[in-house]
């Protein structure tokens, strides 16, 4: 139930920065003028409202109001600032003894709504800036607005006639991303896919089809097709090799240098070795932003080898792809204009709803060639097959996730996305300087992106150094302080902090590490 | 901006049935008592409200209020009944000359919101009961409520620690669906997948893994693995055969009888022929509800052959799976307890958000065996691998779509889902009787499910009969009257009406066919 509030303000009176977490809030200025700072995480907008104007603040935003007239009166629909505190990070299952999950009996829609709210409350608080266990974090206004429209519109990207406008939006996202990568007009195609893993699978699928188009009809006939990825590459390449029938053993793991980048010399040796043993080098899977260190494989040396040995070059930019928007980070993707395909996730660094991923390729006909089949006559009619995107996809019904990234991009613009990344990079710099001054924190590698990997040394030297960071990590989680991930190298476990939350500030990083030191 | 309304009522005064289309509406009874009929499409709930109670009506519902006290006063947050009329079905692109889609420049969040609303308005009106071009239709309250919570919770089903509760919900959906299929405890597993096509792919993937587990490591070594599907099966089996590296030519199309069901004799002959030629029969892909006629392959004869020749039996119930909930339709799935796996889509007949699909299997370890790989140490830690569902999945980050079906199931209960199907079956019967009385309408087949396939004969016998239904279909669409699909058999094109909309009434079917006759 809405309980509206009317309040009277004096000049200069101001709210703090107020989070609008659960529902959109409506405001109406009854008297006077107000300045508003609308903090959308990824960006801040400033607005001025004078009676009788009204405005809304979407869920997921924060805002600050200040009266700028002698007196002001404002009506607001609800004091809707419920912040999920304490954050729910602990994995103890508070629901285990509740039976509200049981299926079978009917319940009123009001009860179901209560249960849905309960599910939200009892789930991990991704909205918190202290959640950085995954490569995604935060719940933004742009995402919530887009998700609402996607749900309400509820049509499929399979055919143009079912989604003329949404198909156009997806194509424009694809076109604009390819342009960012420096791919020439006429050499751009792509598709929304359900996650970065699906994009990496599509890359290997297209690479296979370009080289062995007969596999589409006949299936494998004993070829051994080799795929070269770094030791730090995402496990989805393994899943793709299994799914596509290449087999996991056809993956060749290339050594990485101390900075986490693929070693091109080792790659060349391994390619040569495969040729000598009679197998067929098919694809290099480079990584732009590894999951642990955030390392970017140097693309140019890999592109040279791809050209020399006729391999498909795929770049997995699921995490690091957005680097292309910032002048401070786009050098990390140098050479990407030479890649054959690219994985771009908008739901990681850019906060879109899960999962808003794109497979991009410089081979404009390959998606249709590799994936189109007969037998869909009931669905696909006379339209241009390149516009019926279902023909190029492995999905039939397909959610319009592209709208999610579209809303953010439209709100921020190219520069705004770049500015957001730059802001995170400054927080990283500030964090690095601070970390280096802490005797019990050990930096695992000088980060080139937004992963901050830090080993926490135990309070006393006789304690187990190797496992300590894991102990710390689990404590932070069980105490509902922070949910960060950990990994390990030869020297033991370490924390992985991910800088991606739209409302992230340096103090969040500092808080987590201070709590870690207190463990 | 909310413009609240307060109104005074007399005893017996009533609204009509009012659709609440765009936003949730809040009500507060200030005086007296009101009876409410809350029509949620899939079900109707009756509620009584007495001052000072307050209540809300979610978007996507309809409701009717009646004053039952001598006098009554009620406050409502907004007269929010904006119905999208006329429906937007025509494929002419009203957006082609607008530049609101362009990416690059920044725009305020208010502008982006306006654009998102515009996208909704200019998209195909799936919410209309006259939309039945796809096997899904309608925008229900249950779905919108669930989608909001999924978006706001925004965590991933990859690991249990990131989604303890959502993982549990998915597992309960899987468990409850398997129980409905009559699969014994301990022989149940399954997973949310991004669409029915992904579920069919997973079926073939698991079938391959059970028979040739070495393909996971080594890849294909020249085997020709045959997959038997009917001529009416969904094209996703072809896509699966391509993706998995079997090749499209390894699909064997089995004849269907005049009722659209797979011919078991032809199947057996084709299995024998494959064995004779030295290839390996691997899987039978049965269909429970074909896309055009809604035919259900008789499962028992196929299960007999699967047992005799050691084939995996998969049943694609993407469209017809929900038949298991109704005593009137569950006979269509007779024998399904003998299947090895099943595809169930909750976003088709049951109105969940796109795409809410489940792959179910009676082989509890096969998903993990077929899909688990090393290399995810940064993500998967010490948990029980069967609870870290990402290990069993081809996706890494995965949306909690299961919540969507959970909300509907919890609201309707087993019986409510059955009742909904029964109601659609009665509308089908009424429609059939009516169709049979129209001389210019020709029934293509006596439906066993919720597809009504009807040929429209042209007004004059010298006109082209074969193409007329297609002309009619396109006219209905261009005039924004209805969006139905068409297909063709030897005698020409015909309309395919799909009975699935939560608010469907007989009059909608009658309207469409009367308009069709007027073309």
């Amino acid at each position: 139930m809405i309980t509206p509030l009317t309040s009277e303000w004096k000049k200069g009176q101001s709210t703090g920065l107020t989070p609008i977490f659960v529902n959109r809030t409506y405001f109406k200025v009854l008297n006077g003028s107000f300045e508003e700072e609308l903090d959308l995480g990824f960006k801040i907008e400033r607005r001025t409202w004078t009676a009788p104007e009204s405005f809304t603040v979407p869920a997921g935003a924060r805002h600050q109001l200040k009266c700028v007239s002698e007196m002001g009166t404002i009506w607001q629909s609800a004091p809707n600032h419920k912040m999920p505190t304490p954050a729910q990070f602990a994995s103890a299952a508070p629901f285990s003894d509740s039976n509200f999950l049981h299926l079978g009996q009917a319940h009123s829609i009001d009860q179901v709504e209560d249960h849905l709210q309960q599910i939200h409350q009892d789930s991990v608080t991704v909205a918190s800036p202290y959640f950085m266990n995954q490569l995604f974090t935060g719940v933004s206004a742009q995402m919530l607005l887009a998700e609402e429209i996607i749900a309400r519109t509820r049509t499929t990207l399979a055919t143009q006639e079912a989604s003329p406008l949404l198909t156009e939006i997806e194509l424009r996202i694809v076109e604009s991303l390819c342009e960012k990568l420096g791919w020439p007009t006429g050499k751009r195609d792509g598709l929304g896919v359900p996650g970065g893993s699906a994009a990496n699978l599509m890359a290997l699928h297209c690479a296979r089809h370009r080289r062995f188009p007969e596999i589409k009809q006949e299936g494998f006939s004993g070829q051994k097709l080799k795929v070269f990825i770094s030791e730090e590459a995402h496990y989805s390449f393994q899943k793709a090799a299994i799914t596509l029938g290449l087999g996991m053993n056809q993956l060749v793991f290339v050594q990485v240098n101390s900075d986490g980048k693929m070693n091109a010399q080792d790659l060349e040796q391994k390619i040569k070795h495969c040729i000598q043993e009679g197998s067929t080098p098919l694809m290099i899977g480079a990584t732009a932003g590894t999951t642990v260190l955030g390392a970017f494989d140097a693309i140019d040396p890999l592109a040279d080898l791809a050209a020399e040995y006729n391999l498909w070059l795929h770049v997995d930019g699921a995490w690091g792809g957005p680097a292309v928007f910032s002048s401070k980070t786009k050098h990390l993707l140098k050479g990407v204009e030479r890649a054959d395909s690219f994985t771009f996730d908008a739901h990681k660094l850019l906060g879109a709803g899960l999962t808003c991923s794109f497979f991009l390729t410089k081979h404009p006909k390959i998606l249709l060639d590799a994936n189109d089949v007969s037998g869909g006559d009931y669905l696909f009619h006379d339209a241009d097959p390149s516009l019926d995107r279902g023909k190029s996809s492995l999905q039939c019904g397909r959610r319009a996730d592209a709208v999610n990234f579209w809303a953010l991009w439209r709100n921020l613009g190219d520069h705004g996305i770049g500015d957001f990344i730059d802001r995170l990079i400054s927080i990283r710099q500030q964090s690095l300087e601070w970390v280096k001054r802490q005797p019990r924190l050990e930096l695992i590698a000088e980060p080139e992106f937004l992963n901050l990997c830090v080993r926490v040394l135990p309070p006393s030297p006789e304690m187990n150094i190797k496992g300590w960071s894991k102990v710390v990590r689990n404590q932070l989680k069980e105490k509902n302080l922070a949910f960060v991930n950990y990994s390990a190298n030869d020297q033991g476990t370490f924390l992985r902090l991910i800088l991606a939350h739209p409302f992230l500030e340096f103090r969040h990083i500092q808080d987590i590490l201070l709590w870690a030191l207190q463990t």
Side-chain angles (χ1 to χ4, degrees), chain A residues 334-347:
Chain A
K334 186 172 174 300
V336 72
E337 69 283 357
R338 301 170 66 190
D340 294 287
S341 58
F342 196 86
T343 293
F344 187 98
D345 281 7
H347 62 273

Side-chain angles (χ1 to χ4, degrees), chain A residues 50-85:
Chain A
T50 300
E53 286 180 307
S54 60
F55 60 98
T56 72
V57 180
R62 306 192 294 189
H63 83 148
Q64 178 161 357
L65 276 178
K66 186 178 168 188
C67 180
V68 292
S69 50
E70 277 312 309
M71 296 288 288
T73 313
I74 195 163
W75 175 93
Q76 84 181 74
S77 59
N80 212 333
H81 313 137
K82 200 167 159 191
M83 172 62 163
T85 42

Side-chain angles (χ1 to χ4, degrees), chain A residues 217-289:
Chain A
Q217 287 295 334
E218 298 296 332
F220 273 94
S221 54
Q223 313 95 322
K224 294 296 174 196
L225 308 182
K226 298 288 181 180
V227 180
F228 301 84
I229 58 174
S230 93
E231 292 165 347
E232 299 289 320
H234 190 255
Y235 70 82
S236 53
F237 285 107
Q238 296 178 58
K239 296 218 176 193
I242 295 169
T243 309
L244 292 164
L246 279 73
M248 260 203 293
N249 290 358
Q250 313 318 320
L251 278 179
V252 181
F253 290 93
V254 181
Q255 291 168 15
V256 295
N257 302 326
S258 61
D259 54 6
K261 295 172 190 282
M262 198 190 283
N263 182 316
Q265 284 177 316
D266 187 52
L267 171 61
E268 183 162 22
Q269 280 175 7
K270 284 176 170 154
I271 292 173
K272 284 182 176 166
H273 179 259
C274 288
I275 294 170
Q276 280 160 10
E277 73 174 15
S279 55
T280 306
L282 180 69
M283 181 175 105
I284 301 169
T287 304

Side-chain angles (χ1 to χ4, degrees), chain A residues 456 458-459 463-479 486 493-495 515-516 519:
Chain A
V456 185
M463 292 169 77
N464 171 15
I465 292 182
K466 280 209 163 188
W468 187 249
S469 292
K470 179 179 165 183
V471 170
V472 166
R473 182 262 187 181
N474 289 340
Q475 285 280 314
L476 291 174
K477 183 166 169 300
E478 291 310 313
K479 290 179 181 165
Y486 72 95
T493 57
F494 54 85
L495 304 184
W515 291 327
T519 299

Side-chain angles (χ1 to χ4, degrees), chain A residues 309-326:
Chain A
Y309 294 98
N310 188 27
L311 275 76
W312 181 285
L313 177 61
H314 176 67
V315 177
D316 175 4
W319 169 231
V324 78
F325 283 90
S326 155

